[in-house]
Every structure is written in structure tokens, then in C-alpha cells.
Amino acid sequence: MKLSYSYFKKAFYIVSLVLLSFTTFAQTKVTGIVTDAKTKQPMSYVTVTFAGTTIGAGTNTDGRYTITTTQDVKQIQVSFVGFRTAVRTITPGQEQTVNVALSEDNHKLNEVIVRSGKKKKYSNKNNPAVELIRKVIAHKQQNQVENYNYAEYKQYERMNVSLSNLTEKFKNKKIFKNYQFLFREQADSTAMGGKIMLPIYQEEKLSDNYYRKDPYAKKQIITASKQVKYDENFVDNNGLKSYFDRMYQDINIYDNNVSLLSNQLLSPIADNSPSFYKFFITDTLKDVQPNLIELSFTPRNTNNMLFEGRIYITMDGNYAVQNAFLTVNKNINLNFVRQLQANLSFEKNTDGRYHLSQSDLKIEFGINKEKGGGMYGERLVSINNFVVNNPRPKQTYEGPSQVIALNSEDKDDAYWKSARPDTLDAASASIYKNIDSLQTIPSFKKTMDIATLLLAGYKNFGKFEMGPANTFYSFNPVEGFRLRVGGRTTPELSKRYYFETYGAYGFRDERFKYFLSSTYSLNNKSIYSFPQNYIRASFQHDTKIPGQELQFVQESNFLLSFKRGVNDIWLYNDIFRLDYVHEFSNHFSYALGFKKWNQNPAGALVYQNLLPDGTLNNVNEIRTTELSAQLRWAPHERFYQGKLYRTPIPDKYPIFTLNYTQGIAGFFGGEYNYQNVIGNISKRFYFSTYGYTDVTTEGGYLFGKVPFPLLDIHHANQTYAFQLQSYNLMNFQEFVSDHYASIFVDHNFNGYFFNKVPLLKRLKLREIIDVKALWGGIRSENNPNNDPSLLRFPRNLGEAGEGGVGTYTLGSTPYVEGSIGVGNIFKLLRVDLVKRFTYLDHPGAPEWGIRFFVKFDF
């Protein structure tokens, strides 16, 4: 059969179409830098897409971008608000570099002359900007990740911290002669941070993130991490990381409140934002897809905890935020913050909705907001490979919310170079090596040694450190002048074994006191590192005030020598302890303990009971043997581990603690059988522009018959320092109970009222109210009035004279005290006027008092 030419031609086309249908185009990869054509500076957050598609990315802080696709594309489109959109031709199926310089869009609106006798007052009514923001608020839920059944993505984070706004004179000081390699100079001297900066910290993290709506689960698997680390003798590296993470948190503009710098700022798209912000439509962008409206906003009260800036709203029916630029007003009641900028970029998903693709938070701090050296930090977060509604096996979502891969810290430079979504600048790339080199310089070690002595109170001698310095000298009515010296071993001696000791001598009672402890780490980590897992044995022969409970302060601290009223009720204690502590990465922990305690009254304190014949009998010693257990759960807890204490970094999550103590008679000399159960819950509640409230509730019940020194002696405070977890106008050992319940409420308004007073708002003061209430009592079996063999409540002879009772039980009326305070005085000081409302008939009970509290806060 003869085949015609036309037949072959048709067959060729058919085969070509079939082959084409099965053909996948080679990958097209475009990288480059976007700059400002006028200033030549890199531009961040510029949107770069393949023309005619939704595939794209935003530029990073260095103006760099990378986009890839397997579709047949021939052009890229580069757009940014206020600049002309640029289109560049590319070669499909190849890897190529395309740098773009954007020019400003100088189109102007026609001039409109408005003649009016007075400025029009801003109003929400009939305001198109407010109507638009209400539509954004109405669509918030559908534009959040939580709206999907499943979502997953990869995330890269980088945190940089530098000393900022340094001068040439500072840089050339003799002390920095050996450190010149550390300094970094920016080409633009007006950029945040100034021209000369000194990088001191960097952290990078790569993670896989998974979300499931029902049942709710959110999980992060950290696959790689890298951090600048200092000598553990001087710096808690994990605590430093936690502190910076708390300062530079994720910003979710769709949340009603945005956590920032231990405060919460109201989001410009919060449900009630029109009541606190003024909104203005400042531009309409029709040359981009989708069309955008630029919505600018400013606080109604510039002192309040609010943002200002602009957001770009999509006009495609989603009313989603595509870009956001957030900053704060210079008048905001926020300490030490010179500048704050947050840039958020969002990308369109396959279903037409948006997800966060990049955020960049920059903050510069300074003691003086206007000039001088400071500290600059930047946290960059990039999100890619965003996939929705792709369920994983249920094992993916189970377990703790954050998992760290075993080899996450073992990645080499080659891995990081390929895994980063951008390229580090020279200063950032060399900081790991530079800090390692810095710590080998003798002059740096000497400087850190001096700083540790001044700030933490310890002098390092290598394998041993002496301190704390603020306990070397103190005085009290029982011991008179007291000298103390002590110290402890460091990880340089051993990461398994730790020893601590001190010796003290009182010149009035002419007695020596001492303390010895030995600790063995079970996880080969420092006993001060999280999570702790150790066993400790200790013995203490020393004095103590009954009912004094201190937070983050040593009992021998010199400043505690100054107390109000009579302070002569003391104890001599001999305490032997065995403790086992085990913490878990989810911040659940348990502790088991053995305690043998011999206590002897000292000073004006006397233990007496009545003999059967009615005569008074002096009891010189009480002996107890106890077994104890503690359960504690502090979800998402963050803290800085200092030389002595963990300083908590406040957050919204609760802390639960349950303690059980069993007294055993006849065991190692113990004289009493009893059981004591105490539960405690504490939490901070945030109320956006109205401040925050710290609430602590506690309840306890003691089972068994015991003398009053073994009852719960409620925490009193006779110092002039305001103590959050003690009763500031209660005298030592004033109240005892075998069952009780208490609540402490401390609310900080963050200047909400003072910010409205014209002259007062310049001082950036903050209003505080505090209320403490205690309900309790003792059962008849523990009341010495019902049983003469029990120890009598002591008499306070110094304050009330003969017959004045110094220790009491609570009746039907609770103990209540409250205070009104002014905080942020000189940015550090809080002063409270405290009033005691009940039991004012007790001898020596003060009705009013002024207390002081020093706190560094933003």
C-alpha cells in the first residue's frame, strides 16, 4: 500500500504530541540579588516569581533570592511596593543568575486642595480603612495554618547578636588591641546597629515541622543546630539561647497578642484593634497580582504597647496579609529599645491562600535610647517546602512538641553551606571561628573572670571557684558580725563529681557554722545544666529564721542584714540530706529526698511545754527524720542558669508542683510521725494593652500530731525588699497552720493609666497592684491549749512585753495584705505602699510599709 506524504506528516505530529505529554521539563533554577537602583543597596522582602505562576520567593536580608520550577517558564517578575515591577527573560531548563535593580515608582496622585477651617477628627464610623481591617479580621481564621487539617514545612532560623553603634575610639581602645578581627563594619552608617558592630553571638537551626488539626498536634524536629558557645565556667550557653529565644519570638500577626520582649503587644489585626489603632489606606497597587491595598496604622496612644507600620492586604477575596512592616513608636513604654523592625512575607499556597514564608525581626537596645553603644539582634526565619493536607503516619505527630535529632550538632561546614537558604556574609560566616579564637586569648579570660566576680560573685581558680562574694560579711542579732567564706568545684575538675563547702563564724554567739556537699551527676553533664539528673549528699550546721523563704537570694546575703522590727527568733540547725533529682526534656521532673533534722531554738525563741505537775519544761531540741517526694511539671519553661539559681524567663505557661513529706518516728532518731502534702500552681496571664497578672495558688494539709515548729510556718518577710512569694507585713513565725490555702495576685498595668496623663507619661512609669490572702488554722489535736504536752506558742517579749503572744493560728478571718506600686522608676526600681488589712491587734503587727524591688525588665 502506498503511503502519502501527508499521512507521514500527521503521524509525526501525533507521535510528537504523545511524547510531549510524557515529557517533564528540566529544572529551571534562578538565583540573584535585587538592589535599589538609586542607592545600590540590597533590598529585602522583594517578591520574585516566575511570570504567570504563583511559584516564587522573597529576597532575604542581603537581597538574595532562589526560585526553582520544572514548568515551562520564560520570564521572572520582580515586584516591591513603591518600585516599578521588573520583568526579566530567562532560559528555561537551566541554572542561571539574574541580578535586578529596581527603580522607584514616581507616579503621584493628582493634587487635591482641601480647604477646611479645622482638621477632621479621626473616626471609625464610615471609614473605608476600618471597614477593610474588619474584613481582614473576619477572614483571619481561614488564613492561618490552623485552618488546614494537616500542614508541614521546613524551617531555617538564624539569630545574630552584636554590640552596636560603636565608635572608632571604642574600637581602637587598648583593651581591644588583640580583638580587631572581631569587629564588623557596615557600608551604610545609618543602618540599624550603626557602622561599627562587634558580633558576639550566632545560632542557626534547621527543622522539619508538622501540624495536625484533630487531634491537635504540633511538632518540630530539629535536624541541625549550630551555636556560638562560651566557656561554661562563665556563661550558661543554653540559658543564653533561651533568653534570646524569649526576646526574639516568632511573630504571628494573626494572633490577637504578639509576645515580644517579655511583654505582649496588640496585633494590628486583633479582634479589637480598631479600638486601639488608627487605620489609613495609603496606596492601592494594581500592577501586581493579586491587587494589594497598603494599609497604614498608628497607635491611638503612642505610649501603649502597640505597633505602628503598614500591612499589604490581598484583594482576591482572601483579605490576607501578603506583607507586613511592623515597628514601634518612639514614645512606647518599652525600656531600652532604640529601634524595632519586623518584616513578614507571605506566599500563596496551591489552594490560593497564604502562609508565612519569611520573617525578619531586628531590635537594637541601649541604656540611652538616643546615642551611645548598645546591642543589636536579628532573628531571621525562612520557611519553604510548605505542603498542606498531606497526612503522615500518626507516629510523626506523637511524642514531645520538640525533638532534637541525635546528630543535630555534628553537621560540618559543607552541610551548612548547602542547607542554608542564603549565603552568610563574611562576619557571620567567621563568628564561630572568631569566638573560639577569642576564648584562647589570656586577656579575654581575665576580663570574663572579673565580670563573673562582679556579676555572679564567684572568683574562678580553674578547678575551684570561691564565692558568693555577697555572703562574705553580714550581721544579725544572734550571731552579731558574721564572716563566711566558701566555694565549690567546677566542671574543669570533673563533670561527674561536684563538691561545695563554706565555713562561717559569728562574733556574738562565738560559734562556727559550716556546710559540706558532694554531688554525682548521673548523665555526665554539669549539675547546673538542663536536664538535671544527679544524687547529692549534704550536711549543714548553721542558723535559720523560721518562716523565712528566700527567692534567688542567699540567706547570708549582706543586704538581708537590714530588717524591720524585732528579729531575734532563730534556730540552730543540723541537717543531713540525701537528694535525688531527675529532670526530663519535656520539663517534667521528680525529686526524692531523705532528711535528718535536729533543730535548737536560738535568740529569744524558747521551746516549752507543761509537765503533768503543771511546771514549765524547756525543750532544747526537736529531732525529725523525713522522706520526701516532689513532682513538678513546667511545660515550655525557659530559664537562665546562673551560678546559684535558675532565673525564670516569664511566659504564659503554668507551673505545677506537688510535694509530699513523711515524718517517721524511731527512724534515725526521729521523734514524730506525720504526713504533709503541699500543692502549688503558678501562671502568668496576659491581657494585651492592660498588662499581665502573675497568680500563685497554694494549699497544704498536715496529717498527724506535731509541735508547732513542724507545722507549716507561713512565709514572712521583715526585710525592706518586696518579696513576691512572701507576706511582706507578716512577722517571722507569726502564723502557723496544719491546713491552709493561699493566693497571690500581682498585676502590672504596663503604664496603661499613667500613659494617659500628659506630663506623667514622659516618665514611662508603670502601675502595679498586689494582693495576698491566706486561709488556714490548726486542728484541736495540734493546739497547745488543748494538750499541755505540746510546745507552747512562743511569746514575743521584745515587741509586746511580758504576755505578748508572738505565734498565732488563723481563725475564720483570712490574713490579707495588699499594695499599690509604681514600677519602672529609673527603668529598674519598683516601690510599693503595702497595707495589712487583718490581725492588726497582734503585738508588733505593722499596718503600713514601703517596700522596694529591683527588677530588670523591658
Side-chain angles (χ1 to χ4, degrees):
M1 182 176 66
K2 189 176 180 180
L3 300 177
S4 66
Y5 171 77
S6 60
Y7 176 85
F8 281 109
K9 186 176 180 181
K10 290 179 180 178
F12 175 77
Y13 282 132
I14 292 171
V15 172
S16 297
L17 288 171
V18 171
L19 292 174
L20 187 63
S21 67
F22 289 100
T23 299
T24 300
F25 284 95
Q27 186 184 64
T28 302
K29 182 177 182 180
V30 185
T31 61
I33 301 176
V34 180
T35 57
D36 186 323
K38 182 177 180 180
T39 66
K40 313 301 181 186
Q41 295 297 312
M43 296 178 60
S44 56
Y45 306 106
V46 177
T47 301
V48 183
T49 60
F50 290 110
T53 76
T54 59
I55 302 170
T59 58
N60 65 12
T61 53
D62 297 319
R64 297 181 182 274
Y65 72 91
T66 299
I67 53 175
T68 59
T69 185
T70 55
Q71 296 185 23
D72 183 19
V73 291
K74 295 181 174 62
Q75 290 181 326
I76 62 168
Q77 182 173 291
V78 185
S79 59
F80 190 69
V81 177
F83 287 76
R84 294 193 184 98
T85 298
V87 178
R88 298 289 185 269
T89 301
I90 59 173
T91 304
Q94 294 185 11
E95 185 172 330
Q96 56 215 279
T97 300
V98 179
N99 298 325
V100 181
L102 292 183
S103 301
E104 289 186 12
D105 188 352
N106 295 318
H107 74 276
K108 297 180 180 178
L109 297 174
N110 294 328
E111 183 180 19
V112 178
I113 301 175
V114 179
R115 293 182 175 88
S116 175
K118 60 181 180 179
K119 184 178 178 180
K120 186 177 178 181
K121 184 179 179 181
Y122 180 88
S123 172
N124 284 348
K125 188 176 181 180
N126 299 323
N127 186 334
V130 175
E131 292 175 7
L132 177 59
I133 201 64
R134 293 196 192 281
K135 290 182 179 179
V136 175
I137 294 169
H139 287 76
K140 278 200 308 180
Q141 186 174 357
Q142 75 175 48
N143 288 315
Q144 298 191 66
V145 172
E146 287 75 12
N147 187 56
Y148 293 107
N149 291 324
Y150 298 91
E152 61 183 76
Y153 54 88
K154 292 185 179 295
Q155 181 169 299
Y156 168 77
E157 303 174 44
R158 183 169 66 242
M159 178 76 213
N160 299 91
V161 180
S162 303
L163 300 183
S164 61
N165 265 298
L166 306 177
T167 62
E168 288 287 349
K169 183 179 179 181
F170 179 89
K171 178 184 174 183
N172 295 324
K173 283 186 175 182
K174 186 177 180 181
I175 191 174
F176 297 113
K177 180 181 178 181
N178 298 323
Y179 311 143
Q180 291 297 307
F181 63 92
L182 293 173
F183 288 91
R184 170 189 177 187
E185 294 196 15
Q186 298 190 113
D188 184 5
S189 61
T190 63
M192 189 183 296
K195 183 177 181 180
I196 301 176
M197 294 197 295
L198 179 62
I200 58 174
Y201 180 81
Q202 181 168 284
E203 176 194 354
E204 295 178 275
K205 186 163 59 179
L206 285 163
S207 63
D208 296 330
N209 298 264
Y210 302 93
Y211 166 77
R212 182 181 63 193
K213 187 175 185 179
D214 188 23
Y216 177 83
K218 201 168 186 178
K219 189 169 185 177
Q220 181 183 59
I221 302 175
I222 298 174
T223 56
S225 62
K226 195 173 186 179
Q227 178 191 7
V228 165
K229 291 189 176 181
Y230 290 90
D231 189 332
E232 290 184 355
N233 287 322
F234 304 122
V235 177
D236 171 25
N237 291 294
N238 289 331
L240 198 64
K241 176 181 178 299
S242 296
Y243 194 73
F244 287 140
D245 285 348
R246 180 71 173 105
M247 290 168 62
Y248 293 82
Q249 286 186 282
D250 291 330
I251 293 181
N252 184 357
I253 197 170
Y254 285 101
D255 283 341
N256 283 331
N257 299 297
V258 177
S259 295
L260 200 64
L261 301 175
S262 73
N263 292 285
Q264 283 199 338
L265 279 66
L266 188 74
S267 169
I269 59 174
D271 296 345
N272 60 341
S273 61
S275 299
F276 295 90
Y277 287 101
K278 296 179 181 179
F279 292 95
F280 307 91
I281 294 177
T282 48
D283 202 355
T284 302
L285 309 174
K286 296 183 177 180
D287 56 348
V288 294
Q289 291 298 325
N291 294 345
L292 300 175
I293 290 183
E294 181 184 80
L295 193 63
S296 298
F297 55 90
T298 184
R300 290 175 181 263
N301 186 324
T302 57
N303 288 78
N304 284 349
M305 294 290 185
L306 299 166
F307 291 106
E308 65 180 18
R310 56 187 183 273
I311 52 179
Y312 297 89
I313 309 302
T314 64
M315 301 308 296
D316 55 359
N318 285 315
Y319 295 98
V321 177
Q322 191 191 64
N323 290 91
F325 175 77
L326 308 176
T327 183
V328 294
N329 192 277
K330 65 178 182 179
N331 297 324
I332 190 172
N333 194 340
L334 199 59
N335 291 332
F336 311 113
V337 176
R338 283 181 179 164
Q339 297 183 73
L340 183 152
Q341 291 180 6
N343 291 279
L344 310 177
S345 297
F346 296 80
E347 287 184 5
K348 183 179 280 191
N349 303 329
T350 54
D351 63 352
R353 287 179 285 179
Y354 290 80
H355 71 270
L356 179 70
S357 60
Q358 186 168 284
S359 72
D360 188 20
L361 174 61
K362 304 176 183 178
I363 309 177
E364 185 182 12
F365 306 92
I367 300 298
N368 186 317
K369 283 193 174 185
E370 304 297 329
K371 59 182 179 179
M375 188 181 80
Y376 167 80
E378 178 180 9
R379 182 171 184 258
L380 174 71
V381 178
S382 296
I383 292 173
N384 54 50
N385 293 5
F386 193 90
V387 179
V388 298
N389 295 333
N390 179 34
R392 295 273 185 168
K394 66 176 184 178
Q395 293 84 356
T396 303
Y397 308 100
E398 293 175 346
S401 59
Q402 186 181 79
V403 176
I404 301 175
L406 292 177
N407 62 344
S408 62
E409 296 186 3
D410 301 332
K411 309 299 184 183
D412 58 19
D413 292 341
Y415 172 88
W416 280 103
K417 189 173 182 180
S418 63
R420 290 187 187 103
D422 60 358
T423 302
L424 295 182
D425 58 42
S428 298
S430 60
I431 186 172
Y432 299 109
K433 181 182 68 176
N434 287 347
I435 297 299
D436 287 343
S437 301
L438 175 68
Q439 295 184 86
T440 64
I441 300 175
S443 58
F444 175 78
K445 290 184 176 181
K446 184 178 180 180
T447 302
M448 292 298 292
D449 195 29
I450 295 173
T452 303
L453 176 63
L454 295 175
L455 298 176
Y458 278 89
K459 173 68 176 72
N460 188 278
F461 294 97
K463 297 179 181 180
F464 181 82
E465 57 186 5
M466 181 181 293
N470 57 12
T471 65
F472 288 167
Y473 168 79
S474 61
F475 58 89
N476 61 69
V478 173
E479 298 176 276
F481 296 119
R482 171 185 166 111
L483 295 180
R484 170 180 148 167
V485 63
R488 62 188 184 184
T489 61
T490 70
E492 193 171 324
L493 175 68
S494 171
K495 283 192 173 182
R496 288 281 190 183
Y497 299 95
Y498 292 83
F499 304 96
E500 185 173 1
T501 186
Y502 70 75
Y505 182 77
F507 286 86
R508 174 174 293 179
D509 65 355
E510 298 181 342
R511 291 195 184 191
F512 285 98
K513 294 89 181 175
Y514 57 89
F515 171 80
L516 299 165
S517 79
S518 176
T519 307
Y520 179 73
S521 174
L522 297 171
N523 58 3
N524 201 30
K525 294 176 63 175
S526 168
I527 60 172
Y528 308 109
S529 298
F530 177 84
Q532 296 176 338
N533 187 11
Y534 65 79
I535 185 168
R536 170 181 288 160
S538 64
F539 182 79
Q540 183 183 44
H541 173 72
D542 208 341
T543 57
K544 181 177 174 60
I545 300 175
Q548 177 173 262
E549 189 71 18
L550 301 173
Q551 282 193 307
F552 317 120
V553 181
Q554 288 271 297
E555 292 194 8
S556 298
N557 190 303
F558 171 73
L559 295 177
L560 296 181
S561 302
F562 303 94
K563 294 183 174 68
R564 62 170 176 82
V566 175
N567 174 35
D568 56 2
I569 297 178
W570 286 69
L571 294 173
Y572 286 114
N573 286 325
D574 285 329
I575 302 174
F576 173 77
R577 296 183 64 103
L578 280 175
D579 296 288
Y580 171 66
V581 175
H582 193 167
E583 295 180 331
F584 298 89
S585 57
N586 63 354
H587 294 276
F588 172 80
S589 65
Y590 68 89
L592 304 174
F594 167 82
K595 178 181 177 182
K596 178 174 168 51
W597 179 18
N598 297 344
Q599 55 173 295
N600 305 88
L605 181 61
V606 178
Y607 290 164
Q608 293 180 324
N609 62 3
L610 287 175
L611 296 175
D613 61 3
T615 60
L616 279 175
N617 174 55
N618 287 334
V619 177
N620 296 322
E621 187 174 55
I622 296 176
R623 300 188 183 96
T624 57
T625 303
E626 296 177 344
L627 298 177
S628 63
Q630 181 190 81
L631 301 178
R632 185 177 185 272
W633 185 42
H636 309 288
E637 183 182 37
R638 295 176 179 176
F639 48 79
Y640 181 84
Q641 178 67 60
K643 287 287 186 180
L644 288 169
Y645 305 104
R646 284 179 174 176
T647 303
I649 301 170
D651 213 330
K652 61 184 178 181
Y653 302 102
I655 298 175
F656 305 91
T657 308
L658 180 64
N659 290 285
Y660 175 79
T661 302
Q662 173 71 60
I664 307 175
F667 184 55
F668 286 93
E671 299 172 331
Y672 300 95
N673 283 313
Y674 55 90
Q675 303 83 38
N676 196 2
V677 181
I678 298 175
N680 182 289
I681 303 174
S682 62
K683 177 175 168 49
R684 171 168 288 189
F685 297 89
Y686 286 97
F687 298 98
S688 189
T689 55
Y690 302 104
Y692 58 86
T693 302
D694 291 320
V695 179
T696 300
T697 59
E698 184 174 285
Y701 199 98
L702 187 144
F703 301 87
K705 182 177 180 180
V706 294
F708 82 86
L710 301 183
L711 298 173
D712 286 301
I713 301 176
H714 299 296
H715 302 160
N717 174 32
Q718 287 187 217
T719 71
Y720 294 99
F722 187 88
Q723 293 186 11
L724 294 171
Q725 300 301 320
S726 297
Y727 302 97
N728 291 286
L729 293 183
M730 184 185 289
N731 292 323
F732 292 134
Q733 201 178 267
E734 184 177 356
F735 289 99
V736 295
S737 300
D738 59 20
H739 60 279
Y740 72 93
S742 66
I743 184 168
F744 295 175
V745 179
D746 190 81
H747 182 81
N748 191 318
F749 285 97
N750 270 344
Y752 181 80
F753 298 106
F754 288 159
N755 291 343
K756 294 175 170 56
V757 182
L759 295 179
L760 199 58
K761 67 182 182 180
R762 291 177 173 269
L763 300 177
K764 307 290 179 68
L765 301 176
R766 299 173 184 175
E767 325 82 342
I768 304 159
I769 58 173
D770 184 276
V771 177
K772 296 181 173 72
L774 171 67
W775 294 262
I778 61 172
R779 303 185 303 275
S780 60
E781 64 179 312
N782 286 320
N783 191 335
N785 294 329
N786 300 330
D787 187 346
S789 68
L790 290 171
L791 296 184
R792 302 174 64 188
F793 290 153
R795 301 177 183 277
N796 190 335
L797 302 179
E799 194 68 31
E802 189 66 36
V805 179
T807 298
Y808 302 83
T809 63
L810 290 156
S812 58
T813 302
Y815 173 89
V816 181
E817 68 176 42
S819 69
I820 298 175
V822 177
N824 210 38
I825 302 171
F826 308 121
K827 300 180 181 180
L828 289 173
L829 183 63
R830 165 178 169 175
V831 179
D832 280 69
L833 176 64
V834 190
K835 176 174 173 56
R836 175 167 165 166
F837 295 97
T838 56
Y839 297 99
L840 294 173
D841 56 334
H842 287 186
E847 182 178 0
W848 296 92
I850 296 178
R851 300 293 177 266
F852 304 90
F853 186 65
V854 176
K855 181 183 179 184
F856 176 88
D857 200 357
F858 293 103

